[in-house]
Amino acid sequence: MPGVGKGTISKRLESEFGIRHISTGEILRKASQENTEISRKIRGILNSGNLVPDDFMCELIKNEIRQDEKKFILDGFPRTFKQAQVLSEFVEIDATLYFTAKQELIIKRLEKRAKDLEEFREDDKKEIILNRFKLFEKNIELLLQYYRDRKLLREIAAGMDIETVFKHTKEALELD
Ligand code: AMP
């Protein structure tokens, strides 16, 4: 879910356990700042809150993961059923974390983030947030089913304070 805190939790996992955090959103935001045709296209998609096409995303993630890398956290990928299928062809997933929170709480958090200059993102504007939610809702059920069927799904209530959410995340991943 957009704004549910997956980036914050992933960064903590990275710093405490040395597991590399790969955020497709961050990679795309960086790529969107260059002055090329493809960057302009990415920028347009990000700013509208739409999803970058599956083929592009699958290539991006294939290039990002190193062959010799044993552990990593994928943050924001897969976001569609197709992405999950392609991912399974070259990566063995240990667990899929699904962070949940009430939509009203998330909207409040995102609106707060939109006011923070350091964290400012064009796609945290109200109407764009609503589009991101719409796409999330369109894709999530199939993804949940996919990972539930494979017994990889761990659900985490993410509306609580960060320490509690982090504790539950570590438990879900059997880390400590
Ligand atoms: P995030 O930082 O994860 O909220 O992602 C920000 C934006 O990047 C999303 O709203 C999408 O436009 C794009 N994006 C990130 N990950 C993906 C993905 N796996 N598939 C398609 N678009 C993505």
Side-chain angles (χ1 to χ4, degrees):
M1 206 181 228
V4 79
K6 54 190 161 47
T8 308
I9 294 290
S10 303
K11 280 189 187 114
R12 274 200 63 175
L13 285 173
E14 176 171 68
S15 68
E16 288 195 25
F17 297 97
I19 311 172
R20 188 161 77 102
H21 168 215
I22 304 173
S23 157
T24 44
E26 275 177 18
I27 295 172
L28 291 168
R29 275 189 289 283
K30 212 162 154 212
S32 75
Q33 283 157 17
E34 285 157 32
N35 193 17
T36 60
E37 185 56 33
I38 185 96
S39 296
R40 275 190 288 280
K41 276 199 184 145
I42 295 175
R43 194 153 61 232
I45 297 174
L46 295 190
N47 290 353
S48 61
N50 288 327
L51 291 181
V52 172
D54 284 338
D55 289 350
F56 184 93
M57 288 312 299
C58 292
E59 273 312 298
L60 184 151
I61 211 74
K62 265 187 205 159
N63 291 329
E64 187 62 35
I65 296 168
R66 295 189 299 265
Q67 283 305 315
D68 60 344
E69 208 165 13
K70 293 271 183 289
K71 283 200 169 147
F72 45 84
I73 303 153
L74 291 179
D75 161 10
F77 190 98
R79 253 183 168 90
T80 64
F81 183 67
K82 171 84 187 156
Q83 291 179 12
Q85 282 177 316
V86 173
L87 184 67
S88 73
E89 288 164 14
F90 65 100
V91 158
E92 198 186 325
I93 302 281
D94 293 324
T96 307
L97 302 181
Y98 176 45
F99 293 99
T100 59
K102 289 222 169 68
Q103 195 157 318
E104 306 88 80
L105 176 80
I106 304 252
I107 291 182
K108 275 201 197 112
R109 272 193 200 166
L110 289 173
E111 285 179 331
K112 191 162 163 271
R113 186 166 80 184
K115 289 197 191 106
D116 182 335
L117 281 183
E118 262 176 50
E119 281 197 279
F120 177 79
R121 283 170 51 172
E122 201 63 44
D123 61 348
D124 282 343
K125 289 183 179 149
K126 186 77 181 263
E127 67 278 16
I128 308 295
I129 292 175
L130 294 179
N131 188 34
R132 288 162 65 202
F133 273 121
K134 208 176 78 200
L135 288 171
F136 163 77
E137 271 158 16
K138 179 172 165 245
N139 287 299
I140 192 64
E141 283 310 322
L142 272 182
L143 280 171
L144 292 180
Q145 198 55 51
Y146 183 90
Y147 287 112
R148 202 175 281 130
D149 287 349
R150 285 157 183 78
K151 310 223 175 325
L152 293 172
L153 193 70
R154 318 266 189 276
E155 228 173 287
I156 295 178
M160 286 173 274
D161 63 288
I162 173 90
E163 288 310 322
T164 310
V165 179
F166 189 56
K167 182 171 164 278
H168 291 162
T169 304
K170 286 191 290 187
E171 285 164 4
L173 294 174
E174 292 164 25
L175 286 169
D176 231 340

